[in-house]
């Protein structure tokens, strides 16, 4: 009898686990910016969770058990795509045993499908570092790209959860109006930055640079994905003697040593810019992320 | 003869892929599978004779690396979605043996992508999903050689032809249950017993995160194999085994990285316990052949940790121990040592990128009451498609 009771409890647990709470759409994203965007567009109709946090390097994630469990239960997976997650996403999707989220199904969406990619390489060779053959995938640092993905994501939510389509459409109209106003505000505030030189840690800011008309004069990584070496930093020090550089920029998860070494010798401030939601204090949502980004670039924050 | 053409064909495919990407054109080569090639070479030196394990029925490729320069398997891996419902994977290993190139089909399987209810099915030649390390190819190990329990009891790894079913529970915590029916053609099975379904496995795993910095997984696995005339070497004598083998394994892995970001520093701890029970009849293929009843329980474990102390650099330590039964001790020519075989290993490796790794390893063996030391210098390189970050 005891055995039967145990099985009953076990079965009950499984059934409970299988049904999403209150019929919410389960949205699982690779990066925090897409979870934040889904939350803006879905409100309490969805439950959104990101695989990667703002303090983790998206290139180096492993398909660990907790992520497989989340992908198993997801109705929709949103990732950046363009091979940014090539080291772990294909494996994660394959191991999750969930037909709904396989590439090609309505339950999978790659944000880079809706954005024109910069830096599409002419030559693909690993001797050039960890380059992305389809172009630079770090699209989320330009808020206009967030707007483009929002339109596609809202359509996807309306397709997957037809009963709530009107709610999603209304939320999108509201979000895109607020977003357009905010983009206008950020662009105006950053007007004085046009043409200014910055140094970056990794080639992950090209879309922000393109948006604000900044000038990237050097990167701490000698090649994409290769950690800054002493000889490369020394070479940069010489190069930067003759340049008027505003900031040395890195993401919260990147090692601060290279930035600080260079900053100490050039007196160029080394700063952390929010590369996504949750990467620095007060970047709790997408609006906060770009507020902080512009503040830091203008020398007002951090 | 056909084998000679294979690398040439692959080379042509690689070149074509590169061209089409460079020109941004769409052509039939866009549908080529993801291809990668693994280069794995070693220089090995032992103080004294190469450390041979005695007093245990071993099979497969369980030999210590030869002294001096040697190549481990050079692998060609191809994989792709076959269509929206199937995924395919092939791994072909090339091995040099006394200047003859041996080709081994290490894996060739398909996997379903679209089954409902959290199920998937894999079919073909595959590395069994028992334990933690069994499913991993040698180039993905954290040490230059396999743990002693794998060498002694599983023929380094158990790969066979059959069908695997896996199910994942729709829970917050990771719960996976699976099983396999295999042909029973590979050690520790042999002879394709039970009409070519001679080996069965069952496994279950539980895993999750503890906070944002820690993640873990524990597992239990069983392998039941029937053998007809399974051949293995016992010291210098060839031995046939008829009977059944039951293997029970417990494994765990724990990984730490501050904020879950392993780029700069991370720590991994892995352990497995394995017990092998064998019952049946042994036939020593000596002159004249001798058949005896055989019943033995053997067990062992390993525990290792690796620590990445700065980007690109890792250190690791591993301890191995076996506990061999007395089932073979009465047989002629068998030397079962007085103490349990054991080994300490220490490694240092440097990875210039995700695609290249150089490793130095020291092994301190205590096998059958004899001590020896091994030194290994190893390179592991991968060309082509990006490898997967498995947990």
């Amino acid at each position: 009898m005891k055995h039967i009771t145990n099985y009953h409890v076990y079965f009950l647990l499984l059934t409970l686990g299988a049904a999403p709470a209150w019929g919410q759409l389960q949205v699982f994203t690779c990066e925090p910016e897409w979870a934040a965007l889904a939350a803006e567009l879905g409100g309490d109709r969805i439950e959104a969770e990101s695989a990667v946090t703002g303090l983790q390097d998206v290139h180096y994630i492993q398909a660990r058990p907790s992520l497989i469990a989340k992908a198993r239960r997801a109705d929709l997976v949103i990732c950046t795509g363009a091979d940014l997650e090539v080291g772990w996403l294909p494996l994660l999707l394959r191991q999750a045993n969930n037909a709904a989220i396989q590439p090609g199904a309505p339950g999978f969406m790659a944000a880079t499908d809706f954005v024109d990619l910069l830096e599409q390489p002419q030559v693909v060779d690993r001797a050039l570092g960890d380059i992305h053959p389809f172009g630079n995938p770090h699209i989320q640092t330009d808020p206009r790209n967030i707007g483009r993905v929002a339109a596609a994501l809202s359509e996807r939510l309306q397709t997957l959860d037809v009963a709530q389509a009107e709610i999603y459409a209304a939320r999108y109209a509201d979000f895109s109006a607020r977003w357009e106003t905010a983009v206008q505000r950020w662009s105006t505030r950053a007007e004085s930055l046009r043409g200014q030189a910055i140094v970056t840690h990794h080639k992950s800011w090209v879309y922000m640079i393109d948006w604000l008309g900044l000038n990237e004069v050097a990167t701490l990584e000698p090649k994409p994905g290769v950690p800054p070496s002493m000889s490369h930093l020394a070479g940069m020090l010489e190069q930067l003697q003759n340049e008027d550089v505003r900031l040395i920029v890195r993401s919260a998860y990147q090692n601060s040593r290279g930035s600080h070494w260079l900053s100490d010798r050039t007196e160029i401030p080394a700063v952390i810019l929010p590369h996504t939601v949750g990467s620095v204090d007060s970047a709790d949502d997408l609006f906060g992320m770009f507020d902080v980004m512009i503040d830091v670039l203008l020398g007002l924050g951090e | 003869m056909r084998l000679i053409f294979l690398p040439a064909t692959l080379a042509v495919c690689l070149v074509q892929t590169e061209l089409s990407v460079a020109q941004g054109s769409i052509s039939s080569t866009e549908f080529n599978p993801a291809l990668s090639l693994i280069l794995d070479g070693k220089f090995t030196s032992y103080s004294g004779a190469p450390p041979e394990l005695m007093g245990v029925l071993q099979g497969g490729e369980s030999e210590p690396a030869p002294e001096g320069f040697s190549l481990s398997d050079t692998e060609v891996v191809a994989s792709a979605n076959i269509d929206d419902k199937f995924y395919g994977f092939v791994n072909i290993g090339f091995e040099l043996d006394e200047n003859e190139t041996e080709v081994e089909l290490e894996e060739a399987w398909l996997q379903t992508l679209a089954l409902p209810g959290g199920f998937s099915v894999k079919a073909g030649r595959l590395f069994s999903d028992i334990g933690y390390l069994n499913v991993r190819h040698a180039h993905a190990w954290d040490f230059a050689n396999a743990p002693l329990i794998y060498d002694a009891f599983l023929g380094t790894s158990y790969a066979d032809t059959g069908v695997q079913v896996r199910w994942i529970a729709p829970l917050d915590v990771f719960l996976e249950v699976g099983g396999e029916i295999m042909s029973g053609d590979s050690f520790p099975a042999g002879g394709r017993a039970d009409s070519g379904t001679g080996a069965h496995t069952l496994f279950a795993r539980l895993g999750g995160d503890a906070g944002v910095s820690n993640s873990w997984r524990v597992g239990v696995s069983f392998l039941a194999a029937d053998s007809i005339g399974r051949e293995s070497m016992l010291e210098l004598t060839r031995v046939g085994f008829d009977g059944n083998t039951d293997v029970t394994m417990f494994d765990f892995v724990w990984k730490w990285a501050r904020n879950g970001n392993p780029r700069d520093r991370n720590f991994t701890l892995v352990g497995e316990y394995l017990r092998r029970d064998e019952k049946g009849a042994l036939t020593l293929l000596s002159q004249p052949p001798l058949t005896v009843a055989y019943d033995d329980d053997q067990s062992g474990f390993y525990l290792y940790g690796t620590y990445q102390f700065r980007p690109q650099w890792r250190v690791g330590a591993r301890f191995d121990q076996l506990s061999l039964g007395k089932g073979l001790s009465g047989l002629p020519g068998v030397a079962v040592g007085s103490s349990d075989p054991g080994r300490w290993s220490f490694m240092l490796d440097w990875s210039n990128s995700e695609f290249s790794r150089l490793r130095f390893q020291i092994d301190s063996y205590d096998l059958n009451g004899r001590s020896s030391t091994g030194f290994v210098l190893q390179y592991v390189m991968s060309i082509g498609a990006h490898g997967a970050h498995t947990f």
Side-chain angles (χ1 to χ4, degrees):
Chain A
M1 278 312 280
K2 192 154 187 232
H3 270 106
I4 293 168
T5 323
N6 280 347
Y7 275 119
H8 270 121
V9 171
Y10 186 52
F11 234 90
L12 193 70
L13 278 174
L14 288 184
T15 329
L16 282 176
W22 308 291
Q24 286 172 313
L25 205 65
Q26 301 292 306
V27 180
F28 182 52
T29 73
C30 286
E31 293 84 14
E33 61 269 19
W34 309 130
L37 184 61
E40 294 277 0
L41 299 174
D44 58 4
R45 301 311 312 155
I46 67 157
E47 194 178 305
E49 198 170 359
S50 169
V52 179
T53 74
L55 299 177
Q56 296 170 352
D57 187 341
V58 64
H59 301 88
Y60 291 89
I61 299 301
Q62 292 184 339
R64 60 182 195 276
S66 64
L67 301 186
I68 297 172
K70 282 170 187 153
R72 158 72 174 90
R73 302 189 314 134
D75 301 308
L76 172 61
V77 168
I78 311 165
C79 293
T80 297
D83 272 3
L84 176 61
E85 307 95 347
V86 66
W88 53 279
L89 181 63
L91 180 69
L92 184 64
L93 294 178
R94 221 164 47 239
Q95 293 205 329
N97 293 1
N98 182 350
I101 56 162
Q102 299 303 319
F108 179 82
M109 184 175 145
T112 45
D113 286 351
F114 306 95
V115 170
D116 291 329
L117 295 187
L118 301 174
E119 295 189 335
Q120 297 187 24
Q122 289 300 303
V123 182
V124 179
D125 186 332
R126 290 246 164 80
L128 304 171
D130 191 13
I131 53 172
H132 297 284
F134 300 107
N136 191 311
H138 304 284
I139 57 170
Q140 80 284 2
T141 57
D142 178 347
R144 297 169 304 178
N145 286 341
I146 304 279
R148 290 175 188 121
V149 178
L153 174 52
S154 180
E155 267 180 44
R156 196 61 68 92
L157 291 173
Q158 293 172 46
T159 313
L160 287 173
D161 189 6
V162 179
Q164 311 291 339
E166 275 179 33
I167 297 177
Y168 294 125
R171 289 197 72 100
Y172 172 69
D174 174 60
F175 171 79
S176 72
R178 285 186 295 132
W179 193 251
E180 248 172 65
T181 315
V183 172
Q184 205 64 59
R185 188 177 76 237
W186 295 319
S187 302
T188 313
R189 287 188 66 205
E191 200 53 54
S192 63
L193 296 170
R194 198 155 285 278
Q196 300 246 343
I198 61 165
V199 169
T200 61
H201 185 110
H202 176 72
K203 292 286 265 178
S204 50
W205 303 98
V206 293
Y207 293 89
M208 176 192 77
I209 287 163
D210 179 60
W211 167 46
L212 298 176
L214 293 163
N215 179 18
E216 184 179 39
V217 291
T219 36
L220 297 185
E221 291 181 345
K223 288 166 186 172
V226 179
S229 65
M230 216 47 234
S231 60
H232 180 67
L233 288 174
M236 285 178 76
L237 186 59
E238 202 159 301
Q239 178 201 345
L240 297 179
Q241 300 294 339
N242 311 318
E243 305 237 21
D244 182 17
V245 177
R246 186 177 183 89
L247 294 170
I248 301 167
V249 166
R250 71 176 190 281
S251 304
Y253 61 79
Q254 280 159 348
N255 192 311
S256 61
R257 256 182 300 178
S259 281
H260 285 157
W261 186 91
L262 201 60
S263 177
D264 289 346
R265 282 158 184 80
T266 57
E267 294 182 359
I268 304 167
V271 297
I272 294 175
L273 279 186
H275 70 286
T276 185
V277 174
S279 57
V280 299
D281 290 342
S282 20
D284 308 329
D285 62 13
L286 287 164
F287 293 92
M289 167 187 162
F290 286 98
D291 282 337
V292 176
M293 180 190 282
I294 302 297
D295 281 351
V296 175
L297 285 172
L298 290 171
L300 300 174
E302 307 275 315
Chain B
M1 282 314 287
R2 202 179 295 164
L3 296 169
I4 294 167
F5 294 108
L6 182 62
T9 317
L10 286 168
V12 169
C13 292
L14 283 171
V15 169
Q16 284 178 350
T17 312
E18 213 161 279
L19 282 178
S20 61
V21 168
Q23 294 160 1
S25 65
I26 303 289
S27 69
S28 60
T29 56
E30 295 288 317
F31 290 106
N32 277 342
L35 282 174
S36 60
L37 299 139
I38 310 292
L39 309 176
D40 187 346
K42 286 190 186 92
F43 181 85
T44 311
S45 164
Y46 299 107
S47 71
E52 299 271 4
L53 197 56
M54 316 252 259
V56 58
L57 292 176
Q58 283 177 272
E61 301 171 359
S62 313
E63 289 155 21
E67 282 208 278
F69 294 103
S70 65
L71 277 188
S72 305
D73 278 359
T74 301
E75 294 180 8
V76 177
V77 189
S79 66
N81 287 339
I82 295 164
D83 56 25
D84 59 329
K85 295 195 170 45
F86 299 101
Y87 170 85
F89 180 97
V90 176
N91 182 319
I92 300 162
F94 296 85
E95 196 179 358
L96 267 180
D97 189 22
E98 292 172 358
N99 276 332
E100 295 274 327
T101 304
E102 289 181 4
V103 180
E104 190 186 0
L105 188 59
E106 300 209 349
E107 293 197 77
W109 46 260
L110 62 88
Q111 186 191 335
T112 61
L113 296 171
L115 287 187
F119 285 93
S120 71
V121 173
K122 214 165 155 178
R125 169 84 180 180
L126 49 99
F127 276 30
S128 168
D129 221 343
I130 54 172
Y132 174 72
L133 219 50
N134 193 72
V135 78
R136 264 150 252 260
H137 287 254
H139 61 84
W141 295 341
D142 290 323
F143 290 82
N145 39 33
L148 291 180
I149 52 171
Y150 277 85
D151 273 343
F153 303 137
L154 295 176
T156 304
S157 64
Y158 174 54
D160 206 339
T161 306
V163 177
Q164 175 193 84
V165 178
R166 273 190 321 124
W167 177 73
I168 298 176
L171 300 172
D172 281 334
V173 69
F174 172 74
L175 172 65
E176 178 185 67
V177 181
E180 291 147 352
I181 300 177
M182 302 286 219
S183 74
D185 203 17
S186 308
F187 194 88
R192 303 175 61 83
D194 309 329
S195 316
T197 60
H200 303 180
T201 73
L202 271 179
F203 50 86
R205 307 196 164 91
L206 197 64
D209 291 344
V212 74
S213 300
N214 298 284
S215 37
W216 57 276
R217 200 187 81 181
V218 295
V220 55
S221 314
F222 306 98
L223 163 64
D226 292 340
S227 292
I228 302 170
R230 180 190 80 191
E231 282 202 15
S232 54
M233 292 299 289
L234 182 61
E235 273 58 293
L236 296 171
T237 315
R238 278 198 306 141
V239 180
F241 170 69
D242 297 84
N244 35 53
T245 303
D246 287 323
V247 175
T248 307
M249 300 170 80
F250 296 97
D251 65 274
F252 80 91
V253 52
W254 169 58
K255 296 194 180 191
W256 171 89
R258 194 171 56 188
N259 294 323
N261 190 43
R263 183 76 206 272
D264 284 343
R265 286 187 294 149
N266 65 69
F267 179 73
T268 297
L269 188 68
V270 178
E272 285 192 77
Y273 168 86
L274 187 153
R275 181 189 173 88
R276 184 175 80 172
D277 296 352
E278 295 201 293
K279 204 169 193 174
L282 282 187
T283 305
L284 274 66
L285 303 170
S286 50
Q287 285 302 333
L290 170 70
T291 300
V292 292
Y294 172 59
D295 184 354
D296 208 3
D297 293 353
Q298 299 150 331
S299 64
F301 73 93
Y302 72 87
L303 183 70
Y304 78 69
T306 62
Y307 180 57
Q308 182 182 307
F309 55 98
R310 53 180 297 176
Q312 306 180 317
W313 290 90
R314 297 193 311 169
V315 287
R318 180 179 65 187
F319 180 66
D320 275 293
Q321 179 130 40
L322 298 182
S323 173
L324 301 180
K326 295 280 177 247
L328 296 168
S329 54
L331 295 175
V334 175
V336 177
S338 50
S339 63
D340 287 335
R343 177 177 64 184
W344 272 102
S345 308
F346 301 94
M347 76 86 184
L348 170 73
D349 67 22
W350 174 73
S351 303
N352 179 51
S353 68
E354 287 195 70
F355 309 97
S356 64
R357 174 166 284 165
L358 303 177
R359 178 179 287 139
F360 174 63
Q361 184 172 321
I362 299 177
D363 295 300
S364 173
Y365 294 87
D366 177 9
L367 304 181
N368 319 101
R370 284 188 317 189
S371 300
S372 61
T373 310
F375 302 91
V376 188
L377 274 169
Q378 185 191 19
Y379 64 78
V380 181
M381 307 274 153
S382 83
I383 305 169
H386 201 298
H389 302 169
T390 51
F391 183 73

